[in-house]
Amino acid sequence: MTRKLYFEDAFQTAFDTKAVKIETREGTPWLALEGTLFYPEGGGQPYDTGTLRYAGQEAAVVDVQVDEAGVIWHKIALAEGASLPETGEVVAGEIDWPRRFDHMQQHTGEHIIANCVYRLTGGFTHGLHIGQEVCTIDISLPDKQTRLDEKTLGEIETLANQKIAEDGIIRCYFPKKDALPDLPLRKDPTVEDNIRVCDIGGFEMVACGGTHLSRASQVGLVKILYAQPARGKLRLFFLCGLRAARHYALCYTAASQAASQLSVKEEELPQRLAEVLKQAADTRRELGALLRKESLAKVPALLADALVLSDGRRVVMAELEEKDQPAMEAVAKELIAEKRVIALLCVPAQGRYNLLFARSDDLDINLNDFIKSTGAKGGGRPEFVRGAADDSLPWEAAKVMAPHF
């Protein structure tokens, strides 16, 4: 079993030890050390990375895992021409401290959030996942609920930040087995032996084998982003520490810039934005009505220019403008309101040819078959079909075949 130096001092960044065993897995070397500060992946917390130095050489630690026997293995990336340390050789290790400290902030912050969730909702927290950008926990809520309203999420966040500000001392230790039943653990341990307890200011107490901060205030800040149902549970997305601070700075900068552009204070931004969006929607509706009116005004001219077949049927073939597309169906209906009319309409827009073919009710022509014969993709009812093409060939084919209806 490897000596877990990170249990003895989670803030220590460098250490000296000895190489005890080397394995090769899929062509990659893995090294076991007598003792290590490198935390192995587990409990939702990612592994540490860093460097190992020995005999004038340096190797990168790119992954850390622990086996069932408690041996911690370090995946090594060697520089070209470098060699591995010999068994028993002294090795100097150094962890990537910014990465470790970030994980400690996320992990400790999660403990505080989970306890607040339990106190305010009775929810039981399952797996933690510390992602590269966002962290999540899954929560089983009473009565199989899978949602929490914004008010409750806000209360959880407020309580968590209050506990951080109270700056409780964080103590991680291995209590005697007979003392465990008397401890106010938030949930039962998942192991039976060597149970390590994390106590955060007497507020939060749970069994945990991760790395933690020494005081609650070192978490700095927690921010709940949102929550959503996930596999019968509630999944909570959050940030802690410097991640939360960066998120706040990003959001504040964006809000300040938007507020400046709208000539309001940041706190007035939601109301002003709602007003602007309403004004834009009203303007779009007014513009749409004007464009529709303009499109429909073309109907008399389209009928006047229609191709008149030998039996008196009229075929309207028209390539309309892109601005006519929203009113395309309305134009077609106006045309076929006349007797014995076939309307073949096309609107080229954004590199596609949008087709709409329709006929009067007093005609017996299957336009569904007709549009397919042009090579266009689409279909519909015998009297009214839509289609589209990536080029003009189907539209040109429709115009060529139209006189032969």
Side-chain angles (χ1 to χ4, degrees), residues 103-259:
H103 293 167
M104 287 164 62
Q105 284 193 313
Q106 308 312 311
H107 196 155
T108 307
E110 180 272 335
H111 279 300
I112 296 173
I113 292 173
N115 191 285
C116 294
V117 168
Y118 177 75
R119 288 174 182 264
L120 295 178
T121 71
F124 181 87
T125 302
H126 301 273
L128 161 69
H129 174 70
I130 299 177
Q132 291 186 350
E133 296 182 1
V134 178
C135 302
T136 63
I137 49 175
D138 288 347
I139 302 166
S140 293
L141 292 168
D143 302 322
K144 297 184 179 180
Q145 299 176 73
T146 58
R147 298 181 185 275
L148 289 175
D149 57 36
E150 290 298 320
K151 180 176 180 293
T152 303
L153 291 175
E155 290 172 348
I156 293 168
E157 182 181 295
T158 298
L159 180 58
N161 284 309
Q162 178 184 327
K163 292 303 174 182
I164 289 169
E166 290 176 3
D167 196 22
I169 294 174
I170 300 174
R171 180 184 174 220
C172 296
Y173 64 104
F174 291 89
K176 293 181 179 180
K177 196 167 186 178
D178 58 3
L180 280 171
D182 297 327
L183 294 179
L185 298 180
R186 176 166 49 85
K187 58 182 181 180
D188 293 333
T190 57
V191 296
E192 295 182 359
D193 298 311
N194 297 317
I195 296 173
R196 181 171 179 262
V197 170
C198 177
D199 179 354
I200 303 179
F203 170 77
E204 157 74 344
M205 187 177 292
V206 70
C208 185
T211 56
H212 304 86
L213 302 167
S214 59
R215 301 193 70 96
S217 63
Q218 293 166 346
V219 175
L221 174 72
V222 300
K223 177 59 189 173
I224 294 176
L225 301 176
Y226 58 96
Q228 64 187 30
R231 299 179 180 179
K233 300 178 179 64
L234 174 79
R235 180 161 294 168
L236 192 70
F237 295 76
F238 66 94
L239 301 171
C240 300
L242 294 176
R243 293 194 193 191
R246 287 192 293 267
H247 179 266
Y248 169 79
L250 180 67
C251 291
Y252 183 77
T253 298
S256 295
Q257 291 175 352

Side-chain angles (χ1 to χ4, degrees), residues 8 93 95 97 181 304 336 363:
E8 299 171 22
I95 65 170
W97 173 246
I336 63 174
L363 296 178

